[in-house]
Amino acid sequence: MNEESGKECSKQQKRLAEALRRRDGLKEEMEKVRQDLQKLEIHRRVLLDMVRIGNGGMEIDVNRYRPIYKAEVEGAKGLIHVPGERYHLAIYNLGRIPMASMKPFYNQKNIYPIDYMCKRAYYKSRGSPGGDGYALYTCTIRNVCSKPLFEISERDLCIRGKAGEVFNAFKSLFSWEIEFGSITEFFGLNNLYVRRLISEQEGFRGLGIGDRWERKA
């Protein structure tokens, strides 16, 4: 009888240990979900702020974005508020510096980081200057066959191709002359703050562009 009781006790202990392991696993999964939800909430608030800023209903508070930058940026990647822009711009990924052999991605004037992604607040394509119709345009640069593929998207809108082609197609959506002179400007790549961040990326010096590149606009 004692032997049977011992076996039953051992089985119960094993079941208890297994239940505790499952509980710990569930707690870890719940913590991951909680962290993901926090990140989504941060991005949701930022997107709402960008719309409010674009509509003139909110002033830009740079300090609000610094904690996000410190928490999420790893290797110069993460959410970065770009100062000095008339229409609000936030960088979600600074991308990575192309290899020196990838000449289409850089020259003495510009660098197009691979997988660069930002969101630009600007008028809706069917809106009017000074109106209340603003949109958030997602701007990305991808590597396709060692050449940069530019993309501007917003809901059902998606324009992709070479830099000049994409920018001309985007401009044609508006009935007025937009304030940006090039796709580089619309993507924020000629902003001195962004250029400085790019120049601090690993691999920049290997391009041989020069120490003063980031000061050129």
Side-chain angles (χ1 to χ4, degrees), residues 92-106:
Y92 281 69
N93 189 354
L94 266 176
R96 64 183 188 277
I97 300 296
M99 294 185 294
S101 60
M102 303 172 76
K103 300 295 185 181
F105 280 89
Y106 70 97

Side-chain angles (χ1 to χ4, degrees), residues 9-194:
C9 182
S10 178
K11 290 180 180 179
Q12 290 180 358
Q13 288 177 342
K14 289 181 180 179
R15 286 196 292 268
L16 177 60
E18 181 63 26
L20 291 173
R21 281 195 294 270
R22 288 199 298 268
R23 184 200 64 179
D24 292 340
L26 287 173
K27 288 174 68 176
E28 290 179 1
E29 290 297 322
M30 290 176 64
E31 178 61 22
K32 290 179 181 178
V33 171
R34 186 188 67 81
Q35 292 176 1
D36 289 340
L37 288 174
Q38 283 185 337
K39 291 180 181 179
L40 287 173
E41 177 60 19
I42 288 172
H43 287 292
R44 185 189 70 82
R45 291 201 304 267
V46 170
L47 292 176
L48 288 175
D49 288 351
M50 289 175 69
V51 173
R52 292 170 186 155
I53 291 167
N55 288 335
M58 176 180 172
E59 295 296 326
I60 298 174
D61 181 5
V62 178
N63 293 321
R64 177 171 184 160
Y65 298 92
R66 286 177 181 166
I68 302 173
Y69 178 88
K70 292 178 181 177
E72 295 190 1
V73 172
E74 181 66 29
K77 293 183 179 180
L79 181 64
I80 304 172
H81 161 70
V82 179
E85 291 287 324
R86 178 179 176 185
Y87 298 96
H88 192 63
L89 178 70
I91 297 176
Y92 281 69
N93 189 354
L94 266 176
R96 64 183 188 277
I97 300 296
M99 294 185 294
S101 60
M102 303 172 76
K103 300 295 185 181
F105 280 89
Y106 70 97
N107 52 46
Q108 288 292 329
K109 187 177 180 180
N110 296 309
I111 293 179
Y112 306 125
I114 299 171
D115 294 331
Y116 175 88
M117 186 182 80
C118 68
K119 287 185 181 288
R120 166 76 74 177
Y122 192 60
Y123 300 109
K124 291 182 179 178
S125 59
R126 303 305 176 189
S128 59
D132 59 355
Y134 284 87
L136 285 173
Y137 295 94
T138 301
C139 308
T140 57
I141 302 175
R142 308 181 191 280
N143 176 19
V144 177
C145 299
S146 296
K147 293 182 180 180
L149 178 74
F150 294 81
E151 179 179 298
I152 299 176
S153 61
E154 194 274 323
R155 296 190 179 182
D156 295 334
L157 171 70
C158 184
I159 308 172
R160 62 167 64 100
K162 296 179 180 178
E165 295 172 350
V166 172
F167 187 64
N168 288 335
F170 182 71
K171 287 196 303 181
S172 69
L173 299 175
F174 301 87
S175 59
W176 68 91
E177 189 70 23
I178 66 175
E179 293 87 340
F180 300 92
S182 66
I183 198 168
T184 302
E185 186 179 358
F186 190 76
F187 279 42
L189 292 171
N190 66 342
N191 181 288
L192 293 180
Y193 178 75
V194 176

